[in-house]
């Protein structure tokens, strides 16, 4: 039976606008226990920013995180899938583009995110990646 992206994606993605400060995005990630958020302009997907992007593309450059916007830290050349795409297509795109998360877009609007962890949990929940993906972070 063919699996679709919709079957395993995380729906209702957290989004921020491109003018949101890096510090605010970091707080959103902390408060919601996320490693990535989508950057939208209105209801259209503009980019994706990960916790690593915040560090490498923003904090490491020495800018003030309260003044620096996420627009400069997010990945804008995105690979996307639709909710009704085969899950195998999402996996293939992750491999080809060496990405861990793929935004799910319907009619140009983000409706979810499918991650490598989602795939691991679906395909092999007993794997190390599956275990890590569901583990709560230590605080």
């Amino acid at each position: 039976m063919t699996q679709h992206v919709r079957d395993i994606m995380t729906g209702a993605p957290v989004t921020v606008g491109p003018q949101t400060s890096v510090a605010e995005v970091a707080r959103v990630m902390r408060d919601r226990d996320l490693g990535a958020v989508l950057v939208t302009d209105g209801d259209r997907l503009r980019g994706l920013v990960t916790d690593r992007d915040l560090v490498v593309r923003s904090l490491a450059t020495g800018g003030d995180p309260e003044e620096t916007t996420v627009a400069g830290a997010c990945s804008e050349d995105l690979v996307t899938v639709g909710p009704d795409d085969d899950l195998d297509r999402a996996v293939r795109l992750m491999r080809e583009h060496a990405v861990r998360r793929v935004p799910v877009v319907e009619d140009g609007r983000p409706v979810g995110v499918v991650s490598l962890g989602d795939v691991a949990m679906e395909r092999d929940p007993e794997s190390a990646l599956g275990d890590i993906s569901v583990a709560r972070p230590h605080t």
Side-chain angles (χ1 to χ4, degrees):
M1 182 171 148
T2 301
Q3 283 188 299
H4 296 97
V5 169
R6 144 178 346 269
D7 299 331
I8 71 162
M9 72 180 196
T10 301
V14 174
T15 63
V16 297
Q19 298 308 311
T20 306
S21 76
V22 167
E24 179 60 25
V25 173
R27 287 189 287 271
V28 167
M29 288 179 173
R30 176 199 62 204
D31 294 347
R32 297 198 179 191
D33 190 27
L34 299 170
V37 298
L38 299 179
V39 179
T40 56
D41 199 352
D43 61 354
R44 297 291 181 184
L45 182 64
R46 175 172 171 173
L48 178 139
V49 65
T50 67
D51 45 9
R52 184 176 190 283
D53 291 334
L54 294 181
V55 171
V56 172
R57 294 182 180 167
S58 183
L59 296 178
T61 64
D64 179 348
E66 293 291 348
E67 298 296 322
T68 305
T69 66
V70 75
C74 70
S75 300
E76 293 179 329
D77 187 22
L78 297 179
V79 176
T80 64
V81 293
D84 294 321
D85 286 352
D86 288 347
L87 185 55
D88 288 339
R89 178 172 186 269
V91 171
R92 190 172 53 253
L93 288 171
M94 286 178 190
R95 280 187 179 132
E96 289 173 7
H97 297 275
V99 295
R100 296 178 181 148
R101 298 169 184 93
V102 177
V104 182
V105 178
E106 189 169 47
D107 298 323
R109 294 171 180 80
V111 295
V113 175
V114 64
S115 72
L116 187 58
D118 296 331
V119 173
M121 283 305 303
E122 179 62 27
R123 299 224 168 140
D124 189 5
E126 300 301 316
S127 69
L129 182 55
D131 288 344
I132 292 167
S133 297
V134 295
R136 301 294 302 164
H138 300 298
T139 53

